[in-house]
């Protein structure tokens, strides 16, 4: 573990957490019919992002500084999406759609300079495959329990995870579903019904 990278990451995460929190407080992602929803705090990002960004830089800096920075950047984006999904149970197109071509560019750049052709092929297969996997569930569930925003985000996550290995894709997906299942069970134990809605995006 690179201690210096962890310290820099912690400071960067703190700054990014404050910036993200202030942007989220404006609630510009809300639709007009969502303006009356209860206000949900995003202050936890200020505490969470320093830890996550520090871990990303510390874990990957020695092996690949470029991927370490990418990992840290995506952590910030995913943190913002988590707050939004918890707030309105929706992952906005304004973030998930631009993230797809950005991820494609990142994957190509990292693949050519660090990971090689095999990694590019994995990413090219894993992104659409994971996106299709989520999209089928959206169709089967008819938008209940999972939305198109989850499928759009899965395209980017699948490609980025595929850059590492297929194991990363399968493991991350399995962890997502196990975590969401445990949360759902917790809601039932606390008195929620089987149709009690909860955001799936944060577990991704």
């Amino acid at each position: 573990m690179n201690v210096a990278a962890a310290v820099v990451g912690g400071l960067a995460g703190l700054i990014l957490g404050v910036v993200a929190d202030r942007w989220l407080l404006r609630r510009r992602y809300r639709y007009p019919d969502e303006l009356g929803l209860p206000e949900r705090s995003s202050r936890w990002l200020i505490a969470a992002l320093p830890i996550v960004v520090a871990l990303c830089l510390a874990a990957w800096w020695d092996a690949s500084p470029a991927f370490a920075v990418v990992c840290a950047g995506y952590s910030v984006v995913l943190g913002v999406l988590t707050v939004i999904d918890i707030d309105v149970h929706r992952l906005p197109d304004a973030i998930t759609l631009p993230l797809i071509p950005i991820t494609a560019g990142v994957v190509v750049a990292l693949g050519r300079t660090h990971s090689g052709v095999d990694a590019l092929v994995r990413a090219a297969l894993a992104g659409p495959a994971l996106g299709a996997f989520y999209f089928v569930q959206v169709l089967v569930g008819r938008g209940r329990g999972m939305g198109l925003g989850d499928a759009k985000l899965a395209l980017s996550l699948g490609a980025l995870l595929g850059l590492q290995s297929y194991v990363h894709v399968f493991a991350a997906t399995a962890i997502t579903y196990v975590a969401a299942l445990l949360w759902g069970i917790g809601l039932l134990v606390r008195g929620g019904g089987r149709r009690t809605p909860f955001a799936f995006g944060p577990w991704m």
Side-chain angles (χ1 to χ4, degrees), residues 51-69:
I51 298 172
V52 176
V53 173
L55 288 175
C56 286
L57 294 188
W60 289 100
W61 189 264
D62 292 334
S64 173
F67 187 80
V69 173

Side-chain angles (χ1 to χ4, degrees), residues 9-45:
L11 293 174
L14 179 61
I15 294 171
L16 292 169
V18 172
V19 172
D21 176 57
R22 291 191 175 182
W23 180 81
L24 287 163
L25 284 175
R26 300 174 184 175
R27 315 291 181 191
R28 291 183 176 177
Y29 56 83
R30 285 187 172 188
Y31 291 152
D33 61 344
E34 296 170 340
L35 295 177
L37 293 175
E39 299 290 334
R40 297 180 184 273
S41 175
S42 56
R43 298 298 297 274
W44 58 268
L45 275 181

Side-chain angles (χ1 to χ4, degrees), residues 126-143:
L130 191 62
F133 174 69
Y134 276 84
F135 182 65
V136 168
Q137 295 175 81
V138 174
L139 292 179
V140 172
R142 298 181 181 179

Side-chain angles (χ1 to χ4, degrees), residues 23-24 26-41 80-93 95 143 147 150 197-202:
W23 180 81
L24 287 163
R26 300 174 184 175
R27 315 291 181 191
R28 291 183 176 177
Y29 56 83
R30 285 187 172 188
Y31 291 152
D33 61 344
E34 296 170 340
L35 295 177
L37 293 175
E39 299 290 334
R40 297 180 184 273
S41 175
V80 170
L81 285 174
T82 295
V83 171
I84 294 174
D85 204 8
I86 291 173
D87 185 27
V88 295
H89 289 191
R90 178 173 53 80
L91 295 175
D93 287 347
I95 297 178
D150 299 312
F198 69 91
F200 190 83

Side-chain angles (χ1 to χ4, degrees), residues 95-178:
I95 297 178
T96 57
L97 289 182
L99 196 62
I100 296 172
I102 290 172
T103 301
V106 166
V107 165
V108 170
L110 289 177
R112 293 183 61 182
T113 58
H114 296 281
S115 304
V117 177
D118 289 345
L120 280 174
V121 172
R122 284 198 309 270
L125 294 174
L130 191 62
F133 174 69
Y134 276 84
F135 182 65
V136 168
Q137 295 175 81
V138 174
L139 292 179
V140 172
R142 298 181 181 179
R144 297 189 299 271
M146 188 176 296
L148 284 174
D150 299 312
K152 294 167 189 173
L153 179 59
L155 284 168
S156 298
L157 293 182
L160 198 61
L161 291 165
L163 195 63
Q164 297 303 310
S165 73
Y166 289 123
V167 174
H168 281 74
V169 180
F170 289 118
T173 304
I175 291 171
T176 295
Y177 279 84
V178 170

